[in-house]
Amino acid sequence: MDIFIGLVHFPVVNRRGEKICSAITNLDIHDIARTATTYGAKGFFIITPVEEQQELAKRVSSHWIEGIGGQFNPDRKRAFDIVQIVPDLATAENSVRRISGRTPVRLATSARDIPGCISWEIFEKRVYKNEFECILLLFGTASGLHQECLDYCDGVICPITAGTGYNHLSVRSAVAIILDRISQFRRQ
Amino acid sequence: MDIFIGLVHFPVVNRRGEKICSAITNLDIHDIARTATTYGAKGFFIITPVEEQQELAKRVSSHWIEGIGGQFNPDRKRAFDIVQIVPDLATAENSVRRISGRTPVRLATSARDIPGCISWEIFEKRVYKNEFECILLLFGTASGLHQECLDYCDGVICPITAGTGYNHLSVRSAVAIILDRISQFRRQ
C-alpha cells in the first residue's frame, strides 16, 4: 500500500468553527517528514494556497535538501526528500497519481466524531485485507479540517481515543500514531 | 497500570555521543503533555538540573495552569496539570512513589539498538499480562539518553522501527507512538 500524507492549512477551521487558512509551523514539517520517512510514506504534502507561506516552506525544505542543513544532518535531508509544497488538494492528488500510478483513496482524519466515520476496527480489517492500494491521509492544522475538505474525501477515520475523555493531540502526534497503527495492521 | 513519562535533558548525548545537558523545547512540553493526558498518564516529568531551564519550564507551565492561557484554552490547562519540573531522575522517581504508592519499573527508550533491549513482542506480552503495576518511561532529548541513564533503568525498550532502515523520530512522535502501543496492548 502506498501511503501519502497531506497536511492541510486550507480549508481548516478555527476554535469557533470558522473557515480559515492557518500558518505553516516549522516543526510540523520536520516532525511529520521524519515520521513519514520512518514509516515509508511515499510523499508528504504541505497544502497551502498562500504564496508567501509556500515560499517559507520551500526555504525550510531547501535548507535541508540542498543547503548546509543536509550536509550537517543527512538523515534530515532524507526526510525532506518526500516533502512537496502544493496549493490545494487537487494538486496533491495529481502528484500522488504521478508517483504511485494509482488514484488514491482520500481519507480524512478528525479529533471530533464525524457521523459515518470509519471505526479503527473496520479500518484495521480493510488495511489487513489489503483493500487499499494507495491512500492519501489528510490531517488538519488549527482546529481541524473544514467540512469542505471532509466532503472532498472518500471517508473519515474515527478519532484516536484512549478512554480518558481527552483527545487533544497535536497534529504531529496524531500523524505518528496513525502511521504506526497502519504499520502494525499490515504486519499482523 | 500507572504510567509516568520522564523527558530527560540530562544526562543525554549529542551527535558525537558526548554527555551533555540539552535545552528545554517549548513544544516538547506542549505535545507530550497533551499526548500523556490523552493516554491517561499520571505524570509527566521534565527533568533538568539547570535552574534557569527549570524556571523557564515553570513559567510556560504556570501560564497555562494559572495564567490567561488556561482561561483561553482549558484543554491545555488540563494537559499541564500533570507536568512536573524536577532536577533529576531520583526526584522524579520519588514523586512517582508519592502519587502512585508504588515503586516504578524504570524503562528507558532508545532509537539505537541496545544489547539486551526488551523486544516489542515481549513488552506487549508483559503489558497484556499486567506484569507492570507502575512504569516510569524515560525519553531522551538531543541524541538520546546517556549510558548512565540506561544503567539507572530496569530495562530498555527496543527501538521503534518500521522496516525502512530509517527511524529518526522526534521525541514528541516517539512518546505518542509508545503510549498508543501500550494502550493497544492493554485493550486486547
Side-chain angles (χ1 to χ4, degrees):
Chain A
M1 177 168 75
D2 288 350
I3 301 175
F4 294 82
I5 306 293
L7 183 69
V8 179
H9 297 82
F10 179 86
V12 290
V13 295
N14 64 12
R15 297 169 60 82
R16 290 187 296 277
E18 296 155 351
K19 185 172 169 183
I20 60 159
C21 179
S22 68
I24 282 173
T25 301
N26 189 20
L27 212 59
D28 282 353
I29 312 181
H30 281 264
D31 275 22
I32 298 173
R34 293 162 74 183
T35 303
T37 305
T38 296
Y39 287 95
K42 304 278 184 201
F44 166 32
F45 300 100
I46 295 162
I47 303 168
T48 177
V50 181
E51 284 182 17
E52 290 81 0
Q53 290 277 304
Q54 292 172 12
E55 282 309 311
L56 171 69
K58 279 175 192 162
R59 268 213 310 282
V60 171
S61 197
S62 66
H63 169 74
W64 292 100
I65 291 178
E66 298 138 24
I68 54 161
Q71 291 163 32
F72 174 69
N73 189 342
D75 295 326
R76 200 60 57 92
K77 178 183 184 306
R78 183 166 158 199
F80 271 94
D81 279 342
I82 63 162
V83 173
Q84 282 188 52
I85 297 114
V86 296
D88 51 37
L89 294 164
T91 310
E93 207 183 313
N94 284 335
S95 182
V96 170
R97 282 200 197 88
R98 272 199 307 280
I99 296 169
S100 167
R102 298 184 179 91
T103 296
V105 176
R106 297 162 299 197
L107 294 173
T109 59
S110 174
R112 287 171 293 124
D113 259 316
I114 304 287
C117 64
I118 304 164
S119 74
W120 278 96
E121 290 70 23
I122 298 286
F123 186 54
E124 174 170 0
K125 284 196 186 115
R126 294 185 66 182
V127 170
Y128 179 72
K129 286 185 192 163
N130 222 356
E131 280 186 28
F132 301 108
E133 288 195 315
C134 178
I135 58 174
L136 172 56
L137 278 171
L138 296 177
F139 292 85
T141 54
S143 292
L145 298 168
H146 185 269
Q147 187 63 42
E148 278 174 19
C149 188
L150 301 179
D151 292 342
Y152 170 85
C153 287
D154 301 302
V156 184
I157 303 173
C158 289
I160 298 163
T161 55
T164 56
Y166 184 99
N167 70 332
H168 300 278
L169 297 166
S170 73
V171 70
R172 300 170 288 281
S173 302
V175 171
I177 292 163
I178 289 178
L179 287 188
D180 187 64
R181 286 191 180 185
I182 292 174
S183 156
Q184 304 287 322
F185 297 162
R186 295 166 82 183
R187 213 182 279 184
Q188 277 162 4
Chain B
M1 179 169 72
D2 287 350
I3 301 174
F4 293 82
I5 306 293
L7 184 68
V8 180
H9 297 83
F10 179 85
V12 292
V13 295
N14 65 11
R15 297 170 59 81
R16 291 187 295 279
E18 295 155 352
K19 185 173 168 182
I20 58 158
C21 179
S22 69
I24 283 173
T25 302
N26 188 19
L27 214 59
D28 283 353
I29 312 180
H30 281 264
D31 275 21
I32 297 173
R34 294 162 73 182
T35 303
T37 304
T38 296
Y39 288 96
K42 304 278 184 201
F44 165 34
F45 301 99
I46 296 163
I47 302 167
T48 177
V50 181
E51 285 181 16
E52 290 81 0
Q53 290 278 303
Q54 292 171 11
E55 282 308 311
L56 171 68
K58 279 175 193 163
R59 269 213 309 281
V60 171
S61 198
S62 66
H63 169 74
W64 293 100
I65 291 178
E66 298 139 23
I68 53 162
Q71 291 164 33
F72 174 69
N73 188 343
D75 295 327
R76 199 60 58 91
K77 178 182 183 308
R78 183 167 159 198
F80 272 94
D81 279 341
I82 62 162
V83 173
Q84 282 187 53
I85 297 114
V86 296
D88 51 38
L89 294 164
T91 310
E93 207 183 312
N94 283 336
S95 182
V96 169
R97 281 201 198 87
R98 270 198 308 280
I99 296 169
S100 168
R102 298 184 179 93
T103 296
V105 176
R106 297 160 300 195
L107 295 172
T109 59
S110 173
R112 287 171 295 123
D113 258 317
I114 305 287
C117 63
I118 305 163
S119 73
W120 278 95
E121 290 71 24
I122 299 286
F123 187 54
E124 175 171 0
K125 284 195 186 112
R126 295 185 67 182
V127 171
Y128 179 71
K129 286 185 192 163
N130 222 356
E131 281 187 29
F132 302 108
E133 288 195 316
C134 177
I135 59 174
L136 172 59
L137 279 170
L138 295 178
F139 293 85
T141 54
S143 291
L145 297 168
H146 185 270
Q147 187 62 42
E148 279 174 17
C149 189
L150 301 179
D151 292 342
Y152 170 86
C153 287
D154 301 302
V156 184
I157 304 174
C158 289
I160 298 163
T161 54
T164 56
Y166 184 99
N167 71 331
H168 300 278
L169 296 167
S170 73
V171 70
R172 301 169 287 280
S173 302
V175 172
I177 292 164
I178 289 177
L179 288 187
D180 187 64
R181 285 191 181 185
I182 293 173
S183 157
Q184 303 287 321
F185 297 162
R186 295 166 81 183
R187 210 182 283 184
Q188 280 163 5

